Amino acid sequence: MTLSARGLDETEHQLTRKGREMTVRVHEFHAGRDSGTLLVFGEIADGCLVRIHSRCLYGDALASDDCDCGPELDLAMDQIQNEGAGVLLYLEQEGRGAGLTAKARGLRASELTGDDTFTSYAQLGLPADSRDYGPGVTQLVQLGLTRIRLLTNNPEKAEAVRAAGIHVVVLPLATRARSARARSYLDAKRQHRKHWFAADAGPWAPTLASPESTLVMPVLPDDSGWSEPAEEPRKRRRLR
């Protein structure tokens, strides 16, 4: 472990989550909007579970039903807690790196036009996704990890880890859309950014070309969760 073991050990404390305690150590790193916090749970080793998570105030803190961010983080932490060890990289990359204000503008534009937020970002002159996972992945390298199981649906996160020389087994997270907006956003991420989803057989179902990566698809739980009610198609309005 090349990341200061002493610095990590000085932050070690107990965290109670869902009625169970686990040991956590933390390290903050600074890289502009790609800054974040490294949280090490339990005693990690090569092959441990890792979640790289970009901040989503609405989903993570306000429990919004309009995206899968909160459920993915919760499911990832459940798996880390069940194993007794793992790493969470929590990155300050709100709004796919654009920030909360830009994200809000994109959401408003989508409501006015009916377009997804990737299209709305383009109309507003914003990049579809400006996140750089390099600074976060560097923390994994400094922990001395050479193999990880990555809890993600995002192929760009897997590629960033692989590019750093770490062997990746990708474990996509199977969550259910909890609203019509959430389902539309999942479809948009699949179409525009090639995200993986359980039982994904769509035309953009992705693959991993790199021999340094392995993809293990999960199975969705039997409960169907939210289902969309029948509704009138929304009229598109001109974006002003």
Side-chain angles (χ1 to χ4, degrees):
M1 180 182 294
T2 56
L3 187 66
S4 173
R6 179 180 177 184
L8 279 176
D9 290 345
E10 287 177 347
T11 69
E12 182 175 316
H13 62 283
Q14 295 298 308
L15 174 71
T16 304
R17 178 179 181 272
K18 297 188 176 182
R20 296 160 55 194
E21 282 194 351
M22 54 183 170
T23 301
V24 60
R25 293 169 288 164
V26 303
H27 169 70
E28 294 177 297
F29 56 95
H30 304 283
R33 283 190 171 170
D34 298 305
S35 301
T37 303
L38 170 74
L39 299 98
V40 179
F41 298 95
E43 296 301 322
I44 60 170
D46 254 350
C48 67
L49 291 172
V50 174
R51 169 65 181 171
I52 300 175
H53 190 86
S54 299
R55 187 185 77 173
C56 174
L57 176 65
Y58 294 162
D60 299 345
L62 303 183
S64 170
D65 289 339
D66 293 337
C67 64
D68 59 334
C69 304
E72 281 192 358
L73 178 59
D74 190 53
L75 180 57
M77 283 304 306
D78 283 348
Q79 295 190 34
I80 289 173
Q81 190 166 11
N82 287 340
E83 286 215 355
V87 175
L88 170 63
L89 274 171
Y90 195 86
L91 306 179
E92 300 297 325
Q93 297 174 329
E94 182 74 57
R96 301 196 297 268
L100 182 57
T101 299
K103 172 180 174 177
R105 291 173 61 212
L107 290 170
R108 173 175 169 78
S110 293
E111 289 181 357
L112 292 172
T113 64
D115 292 323
D116 60 57
T117 58
F118 294 95
T119 302
S120 294
Y121 269 32
Q123 292 172 344
L124 294 169
L126 299 169
D129 193 330
S130 58
R131 290 173 290 183
D132 179 2
Y133 302 113
V137 172
T138 297
Q139 309 305 308
L140 301 178
V141 174
Q142 292 182 350
L143 284 175
L145 296 173
T146 63
R147 295 180 292 107
I148 67 168
R149 287 172 293 149
L150 185 63
L151 297 162
T152 188
N153 297 336
N154 187 340
E156 293 181 11
K157 293 178 180 178
E159 175 57 26
V161 174
R162 188 205 64 77
I166 299 175
H167 184 277
V168 187
V169 174
V170 179
L171 303 177
L173 294 162
T175 61
R176 290 283 185 182
R178 299 187 297 186
S179 71
R181 286 192 182 95
R183 193 171 76 175
S184 295
Y185 188 46
L186 293 180
D187 287 342
K189 289 200 292 186
R190 182 187 290 115
Q191 180 177 3
H192 291 280
R193 309 304 292 182
K194 311 300 183 185
H195 282 214
W196 301 294
F197 293 100
D200 191 347
W204 31 74
T207 59
L208 275 171
S210 169
E212 287 77 26
S213 302
T214 305
L215 178 64
V216 180
M217 292 301 293
V219 177
L220 279 169
D222 292 336
D223 62 297
S224 59
W226 174 86
S227 60
E228 184 176 10
E231 61 180 2
E232 294 293 327
R234 296 179 62 185
K235 294 182 179 179
R236 293 170 63 91
R237 290 184 283 173
R238 185 180 299 277
L239 177 61
R240 293 179 293 178

